[in-house]
Amino acid sequence: MSSVVVVGTQWGDEGKGKVVDLLTRYADFVVRFQGGNNAGHTLVVEGKKFIFHIIPSGILYEDKMCMIGNGVIIDPGVLIKEMAQLQAQGLTITPDRLMISEAAHLIMPYHASLDQAKENALSDGDKIGTTGRGIGPCYMDKVGRVGIKAGDLRDESLFRDKLKAALDEKNFLLTKKYNAAPVEFEAVYRQFQEFAEKLIPFYGNISVELDAARKKDQNILFEGAQGTHLDIDHGTYPFVTSSNTIAGNACTGSGFGPAYIDAVVGIMKAYTTRVGSGPFPTELFDTVGNELQEKGHEFGATTGRRRRCGWLDGVVGADATRLNGVTGLAITKLDVLSGQSELKIATSYELNGKSYAAMPSNVREAGAVTPVYESLEGWKEEIDHIRDYDDLPLKAKEYIKRVEEVSGAPANIISVGPDREETLLLKNPFEK
């Protein structure tokens, strides 16, 4: 058996969903291990678009078991809606195909209210760029030991007591600090009883199930959300998400032993994008940036927000290789670079006469650095029709080679278009 973790190496939106979809054909289990519905995967299969927010994209395969781990935070209303939408598109969503960890925490209505109220209270320069979906407040309650877990819905009395205690505090903050409307107890209570009826049949102990799968020599694929530099500990704090996005959290967020992980696939877009606020050293504000944005269709799958675009940041890539223990890269959207006469890769930063080989931990320094670029010649040919690495333009192969050298990891997967089949699999991470 093999256990493979898929992570983003940048600020998210690298195309993890497509790579997970590709690798799922070799897996028996697909496990989402962190984040919430503030992230999304868009997949195009035979011209048909599927958008995922919480459910692992492996659900597209009828013979796979998908799991939502304890490290994920779940908005029950969003999850149930997503299940219904995927079923309407012809997918089967049943307990023998999808399991939800009882230990996963629930996003409550007051979490979203607090998230939006807090962001609205900040000045423009201090806004984090949160999606307003309650992700941060939910994780805060989890760490503060006052969160509500999915399994709590099994015990009506326990859920009622925890909800009442939470609203005593949250409504005080909403009304007194933020001058916002309170959340009504009875409405939330009734709504979540309805959610419970639909979700409880999907509950299970994912750690136990994964250990059993490992002992049966079955293949396990772990998928995360967002990207390395949105990690709460290792990202461009405070402009980050509220969970650990790096590969190590695949174990914590699912209850799987770290000694059993065999490979880490780092998804790296051939250029760099970022949604929301925060440092972005290689961001472009010229026609090239606009061309990348338009050709790459750079809009968030969850928020619809326009993504900021820039040249590939090799510093960010090298940081990600180190932090995740990346064993192989999946380079995505290489086709978007076709037609650019000159390509650039940032190999280091400079600030006040000092050179940086890693992202500064001081957020103001990270926002003030100047990237040191290396220029490469681009290629004119469109490449979305190519299915063999040897058929790629010479300049495209030279670009890939330089990305490997700068990031410190080999390119094992190359994506040349949005469709499932527009992918070159050079080395299968499930094969030891």
Side-chain angles (χ1 to χ4, degrees):
M1 60 83 70
S2 291
S3 297
V4 175
V5 182
V6 173
V7 294
T9 62
Q10 296 156 320
W11 281 286
D13 308 307
E14 300 95 348
K16 294 181 293 298
K18 181 186 176 183
V19 175
V20 169
D21 175 63
L22 170 72
L23 297 179
T24 294
R25 67 186 66 175
Y26 307 103
D28 299 294
F29 292 79
V30 183
V31 187
R32 169 82 181 270
F33 63 83
Q34 55 79 218
N37 60 295
N38 58 332
H41 295 326
T42 300
L43 295 181
V44 180
V45 181
E46 297 178 353
K48 190 174 183 179
K49 182 184 290 187
F50 296 87
I51 298 178
F52 301 89
H53 300 289
I54 305 174
I55 297 174
S57 52
I59 203 74
L60 289 171
Y61 292 80
E62 293 287 339
D63 60 338
K64 312 299 180 181
M65 182 64 180
C66 293
M67 296 180 164
I68 299 174
N70 57 276
V72 179
I73 54 173
I74 300 170
D75 184 319
V78 172
L79 176 56
I80 291 169
K81 182 179 179 181
E82 183 175 339
M83 293 165 71
Q85 289 175 336
L86 293 175
Q87 285 178 319
Q89 289 183 278
L91 301 182
T92 304
I93 312 292
T94 55
D96 62 342
R97 298 201 60 227
L98 177 67
M99 180 179 290
I100 301 170
S101 172
E102 296 179 290
H105 279 245
L106 298 179
I107 300 174
M108 305 299 293
Y110 49 78
H111 288 139
S113 295
L114 284 168
D115 201 1
Q116 295 162 20
K118 184 176 181 180
E119 183 80 351
N120 290 337
L122 296 173
S123 62
D124 289 342
D126 293 326
K127 290 185 186 296
I128 301 299
T130 173
T131 59
R133 286 164 168 77
I135 308 300
C138 182
Y139 273 119
M140 288 171 66
D141 277 1
K142 177 179 179 177
V143 175
R145 297 169 292 184
V146 294
I148 296 177
K149 298 196 293 184
D152 294 340
L153 292 179
R154 287 187 183 276
D155 187 329
E156 190 174 341
S157 175
L158 174 62
F159 176 74
R160 175 180 282 274
D161 290 344
K162 294 182 78 169
L163 177 60
K164 186 178 185 306
L167 285 178
D168 285 346
E169 176 191 15
K170 309 308 181 187
N171 280 337
F172 178 84
L173 288 172
L174 285 169
T175 59
K176 302 300 182 183
K177 183 172 182 178
Y178 296 113
N179 195 32
V183 175
E184 188 201 349
F185 173 87
E186 284 299 331
V188 175
Y189 179 77
R190 288 193 303 270
Q191 182 184 47
F192 274 71
Q193 292 308 300
E194 294 175 5
F195 291 158
E197 287 185 25
K198 297 178 180 179
L199 294 181
I200 285 175
F202 292 86
Y203 286 179
N205 189 321
I206 285 177
S207 177
V208 170
E209 294 296 326
L210 289 177
D211 194 55
R214 177 185 66 82
K215 291 175 179 176
K216 293 177 184 176
D217 292 331
Q218 293 179 294
N219 288 342
I220 305 170
L221 180 63
F222 296 89
E223 67 165 294
Q226 290 100 15
T228 297
H229 289 270
L230 290 177
D231 187 279
I232 187 68
D233 286 299
H234 304 287
T236 48
Y237 189 91
F239 301 99
V240 293
T241 194
S242 300
S243 61
N244 289 109
T245 60
I246 62 173
N249 197 27
C251 299
T252 307
S254 65
F256 194 73
Y260 305 132
I261 299 296
D262 298 293
V264 177
V265 178
I267 316 302
M268 180 178 290
K269 193 178 289 185
Y271 49 99
T272 311
T273 62
R274 178 165 197 168
V275 172
S277 306
F280 186 176
T282 64
E283 184 172 9
L284 294 171
F285 301 95
D286 56 10
T287 55
V288 174
N290 290 332
E291 288 171 4
L292 295 176
Q293 198 277 329
E294 291 172 11
K295 189 173 182 180
H297 304 289
E298 296 296 351
F299 294 93
T302 295
T303 63
R305 289 186 293 182
R306 184 185 190 278
R307 295 175 186 144
R308 301 153 64 191
C309 296
W311 293 121
L312 184 72
D313 192 326
V315 177
V316 162
D319 281 349
T321 297
R322 181 187 73 252
L323 290 165
N324 294 290
V326 171
T327 57
L329 295 174
I331 298 177
T332 60
K333 291 199 170 182
L334 186 67
D335 53 300
V336 176
L337 297 182
S338 293
Q340 296 292 337
S341 60
E342 180 187 31
L343 303 174
K344 294 183 179 181
I345 300 175
T347 55
S348 64
Y349 303 144
E350 285 186 353
L351 179 64
N352 298 326
K354 182 179 178 180
S355 179
Y356 290 82
M359 179 71 73
S361 59
N362 181 304
V363 68
R364 291 183 177 175
E365 291 180 350
V369 297
T370 299
V372 177
Y373 286 117
E374 180 177 306
S375 295
L376 294 90
E377 187 178 344
W379 61 93
K380 296 180 180 180
E381 304 95 321
E382 295 297 332
I383 61 173
D384 57 350
H385 63 285
I386 290 176
R387 299 294 179 267
D388 190 308
Y389 179 82
D390 291 336
D391 294 333
L392 286 171
L394 175 62
K395 296 305 178 183
K397 288 188 279 191
E398 289 177 351
Y399 183 78
I400 293 168
K401 180 176 176 57
R402 191 63 187 124
V403 172
E404 292 177 317
E405 293 169 345
V406 171
S407 64
N412 293 339
I413 300 171
I414 309 293
S415 174
V416 295
D419 201 84
R420 174 186 277 176
E421 302 307 318
E422 295 173 332
T423 314
L424 314 180
L425 180 60
L426 310 183
K427 184 180 185 303
N428 187 340
F430 280 106
E431 296 177 357
K432 298 181 181 178

